[in-house]
Amino acid sequence: MRKALAFWALLLLAGMTLNGCQKIEARMELKRGNSLYKDEQYKDALEAFLKGLELDPEATFAWRSVGLCNLALFRPGKKTQENIDFANRAIEAFTLYLKDFPEAPKILEYIVNLYFAAERLDEGIAYLKQFSIDHPLDNTVHLHMVSLMTKAGKIPDALEWANTHEGSSQ
């Protein structure tokens, strides 16, 4: 019995040590990603951030960095699949970041600007409608909604939204 207990304790300790090493390795990758990002090496930084997240999925703060790298690589108006993928991955990363950090300044603005620049206005409007349901106290969503609806040519909808949510964005 003692041997079995000692075996399981050793196995647990080994697992904890490996997990700790993975977290350290993940932090090293994230730090490397930050350096590469500062040097404007966005593709390499993106790779480092994704590796860091793979090693430590609990490091959800790094989704912001993944989003910023993809945002830096995105070129509005360029219709290549690679560019569309940058926009998609930026939106996805920022959305994942907002799940754990819903009060993060500027992230919703980044998402809205991506939908706007990628000419995906209807998707942006749908996203903001859901966001306003999930985060009823976030007042910035209403101004973003009116902007997207106006750009999409949905002036009556924009007016209705503005009138329905009057005072919400102050």
Side-chain angles (χ1 to χ4, degrees), residues 62-79:
W63 284 116
R64 178 182 174 272
S65 298
V66 171
L68 289 171
C69 284
N70 280 289
L71 179 61
L73 292 165
F74 173 70
R75 299 291 171 254
K78 191 174 178 184
K79 302 289 187 196

Side-chain angles (χ1 to χ4, degrees), residues 18-19 21-30 48-59:
L18 287 175
N19 189 28
C21 288
Q22 270 192 301
K23 286 189 181 288
I24 292 170
E25 190 177 343
R27 293 307 187 268
M28 289 172 53
E29 281 298 318
L30 296 174
F49 290 130
L50 290 172
K51 185 172 182 184
L53 277 162
E54 182 181 319
L55 290 166
D56 184 7
E58 293 177 5

Side-chain angles (χ1 to χ4, degrees), residues 140-153:
T140 61
V141 69
H142 305 301
L143 290 174
H144 294 309
M145 180 66 85
V146 171
S147 294
L148 278 179
M149 287 180 171
T150 302
K151 174 67 175 172

Side-chain angles (χ1 to χ4, degrees), residues 18 32-33 40 43 53 66 77 85 89 93 97 99 123 130 149 151 155-156 160 167:
L18 287 175
R32 186 171 77 85
E40 298 181 7
K43 284 187 179 181
L53 277 162
V66 171
D85 290 343
R89 288 191 299 254
Y97 181 79
K99 283 183 182 178
E123 289 175 67
Q130 186 59 51
M149 287 180 171
K151 174 67 175 172
I155 305 302
E160 181 181 342

Side-chain angles (χ1 to χ4, degrees), residues 18-166:
L18 287 175
N19 189 28
C21 288
Q22 270 192 301
K23 286 189 181 288
I24 292 170
E25 190 177 343
R27 293 307 187 268
M28 289 172 53
E29 281 298 318
L30 296 174
K31 186 175 181 177
R32 186 171 77 85
N34 284 333
S35 293
L36 291 164
Y37 185 87
K38 286 178 188 173
D39 290 339
E40 298 181 7
Q41 297 178 33
Y42 302 120
K43 284 187 179 181
D44 293 335
L46 179 59
E47 190 177 298
F49 290 130
L50 290 172
K51 185 172 182 184
L53 277 162
E54 182 181 319
L55 290 166
D56 184 7
E58 293 177 5
T60 56
F61 61 87
W63 284 116
R64 178 182 174 272
S65 298
V66 171
L68 289 171
C69 284
N70 280 289
L71 179 61
L73 292 165
F74 173 70
R75 299 291 171 254
K78 191 174 178 184
K79 302 289 187 196
T80 65
Q81 187 57 52
E82 180 184 45
N83 199 49
I84 292 167
D85 290 343
F86 288 139
N88 290 342
R89 288 191 299 254
I91 291 168
E92 180 182 355
F94 288 138
T95 300
L96 288 168
Y97 181 79
L98 276 180
K99 283 183 182 178
D100 286 341
F101 305 95
E103 304 300 319
K106 299 292 259 175
I107 300 299
L108 183 61
E109 187 175 330
Y110 294 151
I111 292 171
V112 171
N113 287 338
L114 279 159
Y115 279 122
F116 189 86
E119 300 175 13
R120 295 168 46 192
L121 302 173
D122 288 335
E123 289 175 67
I125 291 167
Y127 177 86
L128 285 176
K129 283 182 181 177
Q130 186 59 51
F131 190 88
S132 71
I133 293 167
D134 296 342
H135 304 90
L137 299 179
D138 189 325
N139 295 327
T140 61
V141 69
H142 305 301
L143 290 174
H144 294 309
M145 180 66 85
V146 171
S147 294
L148 278 179
M149 287 180 171
T150 302
K151 174 67 175 172
K154 299 179 179 195
I155 305 302
D157 293 341
L159 288 170
E160 181 181 342
W161 186 274
N163 289 331
T164 304
H165 299 90
E166 188 175 13

